[in-house]
Structure formats: structure tokens, C-alpha cells
Amino acid sequence: MQERTERLKKMFCEIYGGSPDDLRIFASPGRVNLIGEHIDYCGGFVLPAALTLDTVIVMRVRKDRKIRLAATDLPDRVELDLDNLEPARNLKWGNYQAGVADELQKAGYTLVGADMLYDDTVPHGAGLSSSAAIEVATAFALAKTGFEHGGIDKNPDPVEMALISRRAENNFCGVSCGIMDQFASAMGKKDHAILLNCSTLEYRYVPLRLGKYCIILADTKKKRSLADSKYNERFAEVSKGLRILRNHLPQINNLCDMTPEDLKNHIDKIEDPVIRRRVEHVVMENARVHKSIEALEKNDIGLFGEYMKEAHESIRDLYEVTGPELDAMFEEALAVPGVVGARMTGAGFGGCTVNIVERDAADEFISVVGKNYEKRTGLKPAFYICDIGDGVREIVLR
Ligand code: GLA
């Protein structure tokens, strides 16, 4: 980290001038979701973990109300006015930051201007929540410096930063996402997954004791074009399913309040077969998260792997958000010896699969799956052996 931050401080001074002495550094990670897909916005349980791939912000507070943004991997330079954020809504880059500033101010935070340089190691568009990493890092940095401006030296509450970041994405960026990504980015803990109840935000950390296994992320490199509109379409479909079912089960507030038994008894109340498939995925996936936790707590990684496979099949056949590339990566992974589980992770329509692989078989996995996937799709994939890291924080260097 030291080497990276030194490089970034130097780059910051080249862009904005001044000395490196008054610079602050904040970081927030991307995430992988182990199981519980497309159910966070249905009040379900999810099991994400924060990555060590992250967004780092180097920042210097300004005396005015301007926020200037730059990134290490983009030519764009953006200037935001904290008193007039609306025009930033249509920016391709900078809209997340503007949305976060807007929601912080709406929640009553006093903000001060800043120059900021962003450095992301979370690959963009790979389904690993590079956007949540940017949002949560921005929220934490702006809230913390805002507090200090008012004379209070305290860290912002990470859960609140997650909620504010989600609202930014919902209200400013137009994606009806759930809370999972921002929560994982804010609350991640090294070597642990987070079992999160998305309806109450109760959570607990689950130690990831993988023994002879490791987690490998396989990036399909399929561009996630149209992903946001498809995502909102799924959100609308399950909302419709909930409306219909509530006529018969008035006690449910969310689809994930239903048990598999309720599903059996009431699914025929939904006429549209598409909505029926979506609802079936949601209820059964939520049940699968509970079974997965039991398996993980017994250290039965093999059984957890089986649930991962079921989860992929469900999201492929019932929720229909995978596509040929994710399915090819899933199939090629399962054909390799030493793989106990594989599934797509994140929103889908491209992005990554998550794989549980015997450590000794990791090199073989990367070379064989890489070759076979490329042969099938014409795309050159990327692989990351995954380390689980901490959530949002200020990095204080001595
Ligand atoms: C995206 C969203 C999350 C969640 C996942 C699917 O990552 O941001 O809220 O819905 O898709 O599980």
C-alpha cells in the first residue's frame, strides 16, 4: 500500500499542485457475493465478502464549495459545485460522487470542497462493485472531512455511509439496486464473509475457513451493456410478483418473507409464467443461503459448492440474467478437476463467476478454463485469486 500511496500522492501534486503534506487517503473495497443473488432488494439474506481490490482516494480539502475529481485511469476532469449538483446527473464519470454528495447533504451533513484523485484496482464492469467502492469511499471521505470542518474528529458510521451510497445510486444514477454492495464495501472484514439480512440490516461475520481451497474470480470480459435497464426490469418484475402475492399473503412485506412451503401453496396465484419464475428464484435462493451457512459452519465446502451450482442454475433458468459467456465460464470451470463450486456473482449479464478451487489445482484451473473459455467465446478472460479484506477506512501513513 505504501508504494501505491506514494505514487498517488506524487500524481495528485502533478494534477492539482501543492505539497503532499496535507493529503488524506481513504479506501473502500469491491465485493464478491458468495451466494444470495438478486434477493437483496427482496429483503433476503446475502453472503458477500469485501475484496482487497479497492478504490483509493487521495484528497485535499479546499476552502470553497468546489469538488474537483480526477482518476488515474481516465482522462476526464470533473468539477462539481456542492450548491448545484444537479447538472452532474448525466456525467459518465463523476455522477456517483455527485450523487453521494447530494444524498449526504440531504441527510444533513455539512460538506466542504476538495480536490480528489481516484485510483481503482476493482476492474470496472466486472460485477465486483467498482461503483459501490467509489460511492462508499467518497461518502466516508466527504463526511469525515465535513465533520472535522465543524470541529468534530470522528469517523462516519459505515452503515449510514452504505445507506447514503445506495440512495445515491437509486436516486441520482437511476439504478434500483439493493443494499448488498455498499454494505459489503463499508463493513467488510478480513477473511470473513458477511451474512446480511437485507430487510433488517442485521448482520454477522462468518469466518471463511477454506482449508485446502481458494476462491478464484473468473472475469468473462463480457461488456455489461444494457445491464442497468435489465436490472431495473427484474426489480419491476419481482415488485409485481410481491403485489400479487400480498393479496393472498397479506402478512408478507418482502418476497423473502415467504418460505418454500408458501411458494408451493401460492405460486399458482401468479398467472404470468415469467413473474412466476422470478419469484421462484427469489424464494428458493433465500432458502439456499440458509442451507449454505449451515454447510459452511460445518466446514462442508463440498456441500456449499453444490448449493453454488444450484444457485447458478436458478439464476440462469429462472431469473435469466446470465448469458452465454457466464454460462460458458460456469460449465468450463466445473469440467476441471479440483473445482467444488462455481456460479456467477453480482448483477449478471456479464462480469465474473466465483469459483471454489483446490489450491493445488489453481494454476491448472486458470490455464485450462482460460483456454477453453476463449475457444468457446472468442473473449480473453482474466482471473483473480481472491483475498478477502477490510471495509472502508482512512489510511494513516506514518
Ligand atoms: C448488483 C446490485 C446489488 C444486488 C446484485 C445482485 O450488484 O447492486 O444490490 O442486487 O446486483 O445480487
Side-chain angles (χ1 to χ4, degrees), residues 26-73:
F26 298 90
S28 204
R31 64 95 191 93
V32 55
N33 186 25
L34 297 177
I35 200 155
E37 214 66 85
H38 278 278
I39 61 172
D40 60 344
Y41 51 86
C42 302
F45 280 77
V46 293
L47 191 65
L51 302 172
T52 49
L53 302 170
D54 60 11
T55 287
V56 163
I57 302 175
V58 183
M59 174 179 190
R60 184 192 288 131
V61 168
R62 297 171 57 94
K63 293 199 168 53
D64 57 15
R65 304 266 301 151
K66 265 190 217 149
I67 303 261
R68 293 195 295 175
L69 304 171
T72 53
D73 59 349

Side-chain angles (χ1 to χ4, degrees), residues 31 33 36-41 46 127 129 169 175-182 224 231 346-348:
R31 64 95 191 93
N33 186 25
E37 214 66 85
H38 278 278
I39 61 172
D40 60 344
Y41 51 86
V46 293
S129 291
E169 190 143 343
V175 183
S176 309
C177 70
I179 187 61
M180 172 171 77
D181 303 349
Q182 293 80 5
R224 296 179 57 237
Y231 187 97

Side-chain angles (χ1 to χ4, degrees), residues 97-350:
Q97 291 91 331
V100 164
D102 189 47
E103 289 294 340
L104 280 167
Q105 295 192 130
K106 284 189 179 139
Y109 287 76
T110 305
L111 304 186
V112 288
D115 290 337
M116 302 168 97
L117 173 64
Y118 285 74
D119 185 53
D120 300 328
T121 53
V122 192
H124 291 192
L128 301 177
S129 291
S130 56
S131 52
I134 292 175
E135 289 155 4
V136 175
T138 305
F140 194 88
L142 291 180
K144 177 137 206 219
T145 48
F147 281 153
E148 288 166 1
H149 181 72
I152 315 166
D153 181 16
K154 69 166 186 176
N155 281 327
D157 172 20
V159 173
E160 203 175 322
M161 295 305 105
L163 289 166
I164 281 172
S165 298
R166 178 197 179 182
R167 289 208 293 275
E169 190 143 343
N170 292 166
N171 301 335
F172 209 84
C173 309
V175 183
S176 309
C177 70
I179 187 61
M180 172 171 77
D181 303 349
Q182 293 80 5
F183 196 96
S185 187
M187 295 295 289
K189 181 170 164 174
K190 190 173 164 44
D191 296 332
H192 289 73
I194 310 171
L195 176 64
L196 172 65
N197 176 341
C198 297
S199 109
T200 61
L201 293 191
E202 283 166 314
Y203 68 95
R204 77 183 160 85
Y205 291 111
V206 179
L208 280 177
R209 284 185 292 256
L210 293 176
K212 63 175 181 172
Y213 300 101
C214 64
I215 301 176
I216 301 183
L217 299 172
D219 186 348
T220 61
K221 291 291 171 110
K222 162 75 179 26
K223 288 229 176 341
R224 296 179 57 237
S225 53
L226 292 183
D228 289 352
S229 61
K230 287 279 174 204
Y231 187 97
N232 289 348
E233 187 181 293
R234 292 296 176 278
F235 182 84
E237 287 164 349
V238 290
S239 305
K240 186 164 174 201
L242 177 64
R243 270 198 308 278
I244 299 170
L245 287 164
R246 273 176 64 102
N247 293 328
H248 308 277
L249 292 165
Q251 72 280 17
I252 63 168
N253 293 319
N254 289 301
L255 283 181
C256 289
D257 294 339
M258 286 171 72
T259 62
E261 192 64 26
D262 293 333
L263 180 79
K264 221 169 27 205
N265 295 336
H266 295 281
I267 192 73
D268 59 349
K269 312 283 179 351
I270 301 175
E271 270 171 35
D272 182 342
V274 173
I275 308 284
R276 228 184 286 154
R277 286 203 294 278
R278 308 295 187 247
V279 169
E280 186 180 339
H281 164 75
V282 168
V283 177
M284 297 314 289
E285 178 80 353
N286 195 42
R288 230 176 342 257
V289 176
H290 294 292
K291 291 194 285 186
S292 297
I293 290 294
E294 276 172 35
L296 283 174
E297 281 175 346
K298 286 191 204 129
N299 273 342
D300 192 341
I301 306 294
L303 183 57
F304 176 56
E306 288 302 316
Y307 295 137
M308 289 175 74
K309 286 183 228 168
E310 281 179 19
H312 185 93
E313 285 158 3
S314 174
I315 207 116
R316 179 190 66 199
D317 302 336
L318 300 174
Y319 218 69
E320 298 174 279
V321 297
T322 55
E325 296 79 9
L326 279 169
D327 292 336
M329 193 68 95
F330 167 73
E331 285 160 24
E332 293 306 331
L334 290 178
V336 171
V339 177
V340 293
R343 56 177 290 276
M344 59 75 84
T345 186
F349 317 103

